[in-house]
Amino acid sequence: MVLERPRQALRPAELPDPEPGAGQVLVSVHACGVCRTDLHIVDGELSEPKLPLVPGHQIVGIVARAGEGAERFAVGQRVGVPWLGWTCGECRYCLSGRENLCDGARFTGYDVDGGYAELAVADERFCFPIPQGYPDEQAAPLLCAGLIGYRALRLVGDAERLGLYGFGASAHILCQVAAHEGRRVFAFTRAGDEEGQAFARELGAEWAGSSDDAPPEEIDGAIVFAPVGPLMTTALRSSAKGARIISAGIHMSDIPSFPYEQLWGERLLGSVANLTRRDGEEFMSLAPRVPVRTEVEVRPLEEANEALDSIRDGTLRGAAVLRVRPGGGSA
Ligand SMILES: [Zn+2]
Ligand SMILES: [Zn+2]
C-alpha cells in the first residue's frame, strides 16, 4: 500500500521487487504493525516523507535473501524491522551512545520504504531477532509500541505511581511491563471510554479513569501517549515533586502555558525520540519474561486505511496489525 501524497488514502500498488544492497536483507513480510506515527505521516503532520512511500515500521518477516556482505541472519530466519533504519555512526549523537538522536538517521516507512508490502529491504544491523513464542502478528507491536514505550518508561525513572495518558497500543504493553516491575499504574483514557478503562484494569492498572479526572493519589511520573499537548500540563498538575512527565509521541498539539509553581519541585517535562538498538535488545529480552501479551486487531494489508482510521477514532483495543502473508505462524 502506497502513500502518493499526504492527506490522501493509501492505494494498492504493484511495485518492482526491492533489491537488497550491501549489508541489507530482503525480508518477506508476514505482518506489519500500524502505529500512530504512520497516521501522522499520512495526515501530513510529519511533513518530509519520501514520496511515494510504503509506510510501516513494525515489520515481522523472514529473511528471503541477503545482500552483499550481509551475514548476520540466515535465509529463513525470522526478524523484526523497527523505526530506526539507519544511522551515520559519525555524528556527536552516534558517538555518544545516542544513535536515536542521529542527525542523519533514516527511518523505516518514512525515509525508506517500510512494511505495508510483501517485501521490504532493511539494513541487517538494525533488525532484531524476534523472541520465540510470539506469533508474527502478536510480535509486530513490540517493535515500536513496545520498544519506544519501553524507552519512555526508562526516561520516567523509577516512579512508583505511574500515570499513562492515552491507553492505545503502546500503553497496553507498557502497563504490563510497569505492573511486572512492581509499579502502581493509573491509566487515563478519553472521557466516557469505559471499555478502555476496563481493559487497562485487566492489564494491571490499579486505577483507570478519564483524563479529566484527578488520579486517586499524586503520580511520581507519567507517559503521555495521546498527541494532546494539554495532557502534559494535566499530568503535571497531578504530579508529586520530582516527577518526570514524558511525551512518547513524535507529534503533539501545542502545550499550553502554565504557572511556574506547577513545575517547581524538580518536576521535569520531556520527550522520548526514536530508539537505540540497545533499547531493542533489552526490550526483546524483557518482553517474554513479563510476559507481555499483545492484544491485536488484525486486518489484511488491503485494509491499511481502515486500520489507520481505527487509530484516528480511538476505537481500537490494543494494537492494529496488518497481515501480509497468510498463515504466518509462530517461530
Ligand atoms: Zn549519527
Ligand atoms: Zn511507531
Side-chain angles (χ1 to χ4, degrees):
M1 297 291 281
V2 172
L3 178 70
E4 300 276 5
R5 208 171 293 262
R7 289 175 292 279
Q8 283 182 4
L10 306 181
R11 66 167 187 82
E14 284 293 329
L15 303 174
D17 288 358
E19 280 291 317
Q24 292 184 323
V25 286
L26 177 69
V27 177
S28 169
V29 181
H30 286 184
C32 187
V34 180
C35 177
R36 181 175 286 281
T37 297
D38 302 338
L39 187 60
H40 291 314
I41 295 168
V42 171
D43 287 349
E45 288 153 343
L46 295 182
S47 57
E48 289 173 0
K50 158 194 183 294
L51 288 174
L53 172 76
V54 178
H57 57 267
Q58 303 186 88
I59 304 171
V60 178
I62 57 166
V63 173
R65 194 147 54 85
E68 194 192 322
E71 293 173 345
R72 184 174 169 209
F73 300 104
V75 169
Q77 190 173 346
R78 190 163 73 142
V79 293
V81 184
W83 170 244
L84 187 70
W86 185 87
T87 55
C88 76
E90 294 170 354
C91 71
R92 60 190 301 140
Y93 300 106
C94 283
L95 293 175
S96 58
R98 295 179 292 166
E99 64 180 2
N100 60 308
L101 303 178
C102 173
D103 284 329
R106 291 181 206 150
F107 298 108
T108 310
Y110 187 61
D111 300 306
V112 295
D113 282 336
Y116 290 14
E118 290 171 350
L119 294 168
V121 292
D123 185 318
E124 66 167 0
R125 297 170 301 166
F126 292 85
C127 299
F128 299 114
I130 299 285
Q132 289 194 356
Y134 283 93
D136 298 329
E137 288 145 7
Q138 272 75 22
L142 300 176
L143 284 159
C144 185
L147 240 167
I148 292 186
Y150 171 75
R151 185 174 176 86
L153 189 62
R154 296 278 84 89
L155 290 185
V156 164
D158 45 14
E160 187 205 348
R161 297 167 297 181
L162 176 72
L164 299 179
Y165 287 79
F167 206 82
S170 204
H172 103 282
I173 294 174
L174 260 289
C175 185
Q176 300 173 54
V177 175
H180 169 77
E181 291 177 342
R183 302 174 195 250
R184 299 168 58 200
V185 177
F186 303 140
F188 299 84
T189 70
R190 294 181 196 207
D193 182 6
E194 277 159 30
E195 230 173 281
Q197 292 161 15
F199 184 42
R201 283 188 290 265
E202 274 169 42
L203 295 175
E206 173 179 321
W207 175 93
S210 143
S211 48
D212 304 332
D213 298 339
E217 294 176 36
E218 286 183 328
I219 51 178
D220 303 306
I223 307 175
V224 178
F225 293 105
V228 181
L231 288 177
M232 295 293 282
T233 48
T234 302
L236 190 62
R237 279 195 301 276
S238 295
S239 70
K241 286 178 281 190
R244 300 183 198 171
I245 313 293
I246 302 294
S247 165
I250 194 166
H251 170 85
M252 182 177 249
S253 59
D254 287 354
I255 300 171
S257 68
F258 55 89
Y260 176 64
E261 64 181 88
Q262 293 180 0
L263 188 64
W264 168 249
E266 298 196 344
R267 295 172 177 90
L268 296 173
L269 294 183
S271 68
V272 68
N274 315 317
L275 65 134
T276 64
R277 282 172 277 180
R278 193 172 151 201
D279 297 328
E281 281 148 25
E282 283 177 13
F283 181 68
M284 288 301 172
S285 98
L286 173 66
R289 284 187 276 125
V290 170
V292 170
R293 293 186 56 245
T294 55
E295 178 126 347
V296 294
E297 229 172 80
V298 180
R299 293 171 181 273
L301 178 60
E302 306 77 70
E303 291 181 18
N305 289 305
E306 289 79 358
L308 288 166
D309 286 343
S310 71
I311 296 178
R312 192 184 280 112
D313 307 342
T315 52
L316 190 67
R317 179 181 158 102
V321 174
L322 301 175
R323 176 189 294 129
V324 180
R325 297 262 158 146
S330 63

